[in-house]
Amino acid sequence: MAMRRPPVSETELEILKAIWEHGPGTVREINARLRPTGRRWAYTTVLTLLQRLEAKGYVASNKTGLAHVFRAVVSRDRLLRQRLKDLAQQLCEGAPAPLVLALVESQHFSEQEIEQFRRLLDELDKGRKK
């Protein structure tokens, strides 16, 4: 079983999102990416958040150049899956169906998204019948 990483704070998540959306970067580059979102953090704040994420195992840095370049080692999809699993455990005794049903019932989906759901359900159904 894989070792669980410590949870990510909301501010750390903002840093991760900037890396996922724009790719690896230095502290200055990542800080600049956050400015359009309204964040005006000091260089040292961004560095501290990146160091925390590195200590938790969510990012890694390349220290061969003059400036450290930070990259994500955990994908958005992987973190999403873990958070949903944790939420199902916390709210639904581990059963994912109530969580999925609540999400689907409360949202409006495009025809393309509905078709994607149908394909996924068909694939799951085929796998279950084998």
Side-chain angles (χ1 to χ4, degrees):
M1 186 171 168
M3 190 175 97
R4 290 195 42 109
R5 290 177 172 83
V8 176
S9 71
E10 290 304 312
T11 51
E12 291 167 343
L13 185 57
E14 288 187 51
I15 300 287
L16 267 178
K17 286 178 182 178
I19 296 172
W20 287 331
E21 291 169 15
H22 302 284
T26 64
V27 176
R28 288 192 199 294
E29 291 168 342
I30 293 168
N31 198 10
R33 295 172 190 169
L34 294 166
R35 291 200 184 275
T37 67
R39 284 295 187 186
R40 301 281 188 250
W41 285 329
Y43 175 94
T44 53
T45 302
V46 175
L47 176 60
T48 298
L49 290 168
L50 285 162
Q51 289 170 334
R52 286 182 190 164
L53 285 166
E54 188 169 27
K56 291 179 178 183
Y58 290 94
V59 302
S61 62
N62 179 346
K63 301 171 180 145
T64 57
L66 291 175
H68 295 194
V69 176
F70 291 87
R71 65 177 173 77
V73 294
V74 173
S75 69
R76 183 187 309 251
D77 187 55
R78 184 171 175 187
L79 183 58
L80 175 63
R81 288 174 192 264
Q82 186 58 55
R83 281 197 164 186
L84 288 174
K85 185 177 177 182
D86 292 346
L87 189 58
Q89 187 65 42
Q90 181 182 23
L91 297 176
C92 309
E93 290 76 39
L99 189 65
V100 172
L101 290 171
L103 182 63
V104 170
E105 290 172 348
S106 67
Q107 300 297 314
H108 175 75
F109 296 100
S110 69
E111 287 296 322
Q112 295 86 358
E113 290 168 326
I114 292 170
E115 186 56 37
Q116 188 177 4
F117 294 150
R118 284 190 178 113
R119 283 192 304 270
L120 177 59
L121 289 171
D122 288 344
E123 288 175 23
L124 291 171
D125 194 38
K126 286 177 189 175
R128 193 170 41 106
K129 291 179 181 178
K130 288 183 180 180

